[in-house]
Amino acid sequence: MSAMSGSGVIESTELVKFREQWKAEVKQRTIQAIASPTLSPQNAVTSSSSASARPEEYANSSIPTFPHDAVTPTYTCTQRSAISAHASMCLSSAVESYRLAVQYEQSGNLDEALRLYRHAFRLKPDVDKAYHKDELRLSPATNQGEASSEHKHYSNHCSKILLDAPVEELNKSLKSLSLAPQSTVTGVLASLIASFSHDLEFEPEDESASVPLRSLPDELVVLVLKKLDTTSIERFAVIDKKARVLSLDTGIWRYLVQKTYIPPQIPEELTFESIAHQYLLDYRRFYIEHPRVRLDGVYVAVCHYVRPGLGENAWVQVNHLITYHRYLRFFLDGTVMSLLANEAIEPQTVIPSLKPSLRMKGLLVGTWSLLGTKILIRDLVDPSGGNSRYTFQMTLTLRSRPSGRWNKLDFTGYDSIDTKTGEELPFPLKHERPFWFSKVRSYA
């Protein structure tokens, strides 16, 4: 009995000693954890393992297990903080790589952009979304909508790229991001073009024949079309669908509009850009539908009237049919030549000679302006200096007929003006006929 009591005392003494030792160790570790909150995960794991190893030495004894509540929360918070900092650094690095890749792609360095895209997606699979959010945060409020649409386009495109895709395929995908100028087409032609496929090619009339045009890039074909007149462009367009699409390039028709619609074709206070919005920036439609005076030819009016004549026989009445021609040639600098010629002078002779150096009877030179469809010709005088007391002015209306655009001029007024008194006297237009346009190749 006394032996049992002695062993119990020894065991109780060892238990108290271990308990005190354990409490001191726990207290020391708690103080160290509070003093150094940025304990690395490796040190935390080592401390935890060493702490758990000590109770194993006393596993065979009847020692109760004490809770670790005082230590465990500190170690858990420290680990989470370290892991969060590591993840934040990875995300920041991925976003920076992605941003550099976008810059290299925009500058045309696709190989470097590919390398950086792959690196960014390996660091963070959803880096495109993080980049998108970062750009929205950094961009000004005024440009937020514009920036979001652009970066959304990049992110949606790049998220579909496989990390191990061949460089050639990726280059093609990245080149598809470039915004090539698109043709602006409205009306019936727009629905027709929408039905075409996107991979059009020039088709030969004979399937076994080669097509040299296929070897030319589209940009070069468009540059060639810019050097042609509108008739040649439209003739090229009827070859096939590919030719029609290229002939609608905005650059071709904008160049024609810019070259054509300048004063006096339009008022001084207007520009062709302001008028283009009326046609939804469809410059081909603008060129076709907006009134303009044709400068690549001459307007000719063939006039007739009947004059009674004298005959030897009183029972026979003689009438003479008189024919004369009026010619109007307009110039880009705002001058106009008006020529009245009788039937003795054939149009084939007159038209090639209608140049600023011409001097002949019936020739008047003045200025012209266009307002809507109304043409006003003022200050028509004889360039040789004769009869300077009177000047003349014409008022005409510009029209289109099925044979061509803006190819008819209707006479609405013809007046003489006394330069001394300013009095205007209208001429009767009984025998006058409308002018019809005739294209002259030598004028082009």
Side-chain angles (χ1 to χ4, degrees):
M1 188 72 178
S2 61
M4 293 178 60
S5 300
S7 63
V9 171
I10 294 172
E11 184 178 352
S12 176
T13 303
E14 291 180 357
L15 180 60
V16 171
K17 183 180 179 180
F18 170 75
R19 186 179 297 169
E20 294 297 331
Q21 199 175 22
W22 177 257
K23 285 183 179 181
E25 188 176 349
V26 168
K27 184 177 180 180
Q28 183 180 1
R29 289 173 184 166
T30 304
I31 294 172
Q32 290 177 355
I34 295 174
S36 56
T38 58
L39 185 63
S40 64
Q42 291 81 358
N43 295 337
V45 173
T46 305
S47 300
S48 178
S49 62
S50 63
S52 62
R54 291 183 181 275
E56 291 179 0
E57 299 175 1
Y58 307 94
N60 296 328
S61 61
S62 58
I63 301 172
T65 304
F66 294 96
H68 296 71
D69 295 343
V71 179
T72 304
T74 305
Y75 288 165
T76 304
C77 294
T78 305
Q79 292 174 2
R80 288 178 181 175
S81 176
I83 293 171
S84 176
H86 179 70
S88 177
M89 290 176 61
C90 289
L91 178 61
S92 176
S93 177
V95 170
E96 288 301 321
S97 298
Y98 193 95
R99 181 177 286 107
L100 283 175
V102 171
Q103 294 175 0
Y104 277 119
E105 180 186 340
Q106 291 174 346
S107 64
N109 193 345
L110 300 183
D111 292 336
E112 186 66 19
L114 169 62
R115 187 186 67 79
L116 290 171
Y117 275 133
R118 286 179 173 172
H119 177 67
F121 277 106
R122 286 195 183 101
L123 289 176
K124 199 73 175 176
D126 57 348
V127 63
D128 53 338
K129 297 178 181 178
Y131 170 76
H132 173 58
K133 292 179 180 179
D134 192 48
E135 288 297 315
L136 283 180
R137 181 177 58 82
L138 296 176
S139 62
T142 55
N143 298 330
Q144 183 174 357
E146 183 178 337
S148 63
S149 62
E150 178 183 353
H151 297 304
K152 185 177 180 181
H153 176 71
Y154 278 112
S155 62
N156 290 341
H157 181 82
C158 295
S159 62
K160 298 177 183 177
I161 297 176
L162 296 176
L163 297 179
D164 297 327
V167 176
E168 293 78 7
E169 295 181 5
L170 187 58
N171 284 344
K172 293 180 181 178
S173 300
L174 294 177
K175 286 179 181 178
S176 67
L177 294 175
S178 61
L179 300 177
Q182 300 292 328
S183 301
T184 304
V185 184
T186 58
V188 179
L189 195 57
S191 58
L192 178 64
I193 297 299
S195 65
F196 293 172
S197 62
H198 296 287
D199 52 347
L200 295 174
E201 293 289 345
F202 288 107
E203 299 297 336
E205 186 176 1
D206 183 3
E207 295 183 358
S208 61
S210 62
V211 184
L213 275 177
R214 288 182 179 177
S215 61
L216 294 178
D218 293 347
E219 294 81 3
L220 186 57
V221 177
V222 170
L223 285 176
V224 173
L225 292 177
K226 282 185 177 182
K227 304 297 182 181
L228 304 179
D229 61 349
T230 54
T231 304
S232 301
I233 293 173
E234 291 302 314
R235 285 177 180 172
F236 171 79
V238 300
I239 295 176
D240 58 12
K241 294 180 180 179
K242 176 74 170 182
R244 168 50 72 189
V245 171
L246 290 179
S247 69
L248 296 175
D249 186 86
T250 303
I252 299 173
W253 296 98
R254 191 181 190 279
Y255 172 74
L256 288 171
V257 167
Q258 184 178 6
K259 185 174 66 173
T260 302
Y261 287 93
I262 58 175
Q265 294 277 19
I266 57 176
E268 294 280 352
E269 62 273 11
L270 293 180
T271 62
F272 76 93
E273 289 96 342
S274 60
I275 302 175
H277 289 283
Q278 302 176 15
Y279 300 94
L280 304 178
L281 298 179
D282 184 349
Y283 287 97
R284 180 177 180 273
R285 181 183 163 203
F286 181 175
Y287 187 83
I288 293 174
E289 296 183 6
H290 197 75
R292 71 179 186 279
V293 176
R294 302 282 297 271
L295 306 180
D296 54 343
V298 60
Y299 290 89
V300 183
V302 183
C303 307
H304 307 278
Y305 69 93
V306 177
R307 186 185 68 185
L310 297 176
E312 297 179 357
N313 192 340
W315 297 95
V316 177
Q317 183 177 359
V318 178
N319 292 318
H320 299 280
L321 178 63
I322 308 300
T323 302
Y324 63 95
H325 297 83
R326 286 190 179 275
Y327 304 90
L328 286 175
R329 183 184 177 187
F330 298 87
F331 294 91
L332 187 63
D333 61 355
T335 60
V336 59
M337 297 177 66
S338 173
L339 177 63
L340 174 63
N342 57 31
E343 59 185 353
I345 306 176
E346 295 292 333
Q348 294 84 350
T349 306
V350 173
I351 291 176
S353 63
L354 278 177
K355 299 177 181 179
S357 59
L358 178 65
R359 296 293 182 269
M360 64 180 297
K361 184 179 180 181
L363 176 66
L364 301 175
V365 177
T367 60
W368 67 277
S369 60
L370 176 64
L371 182 60
T373 58
K374 180 182 178 182
I375 302 175
L376 182 59
I377 300 177
R378 296 189 179 93
D379 303 325
L380 284 169
V381 295
D382 187 350
S384 60
N387 193 17
S388 59
R389 180 177 177 181
Y390 294 94
T391 62
F392 304 90
Q393 69 178 21
M394 295 182 184
T395 306
L396 307 111
T397 302
L398 186 62
R399 302 183 185 278
S400 293
R401 286 297 177 262
S403 57
R405 301 295 297 182
W406 315 116
N407 59 347
K408 184 181 180 182
L409 298 179
D410 288 333
F411 235 132
T412 57
Y414 191 20
D415 306 316
S416 68
I417 303 174
D418 192 330
T419 56
K420 293 183 178 180
T421 62
E423 182 182 4
E424 296 185 8
L425 295 176
F427 289 113
L429 303 175
K430 183 178 180 180
H431 305 301
E432 302 301 333
R433 294 292 181 267
F435 291 83
W436 290 92
F437 180 76
S438 178
K439 187 174 181 179
V440 183
R441 290 185 179 179
S442 61
Y443 291 178

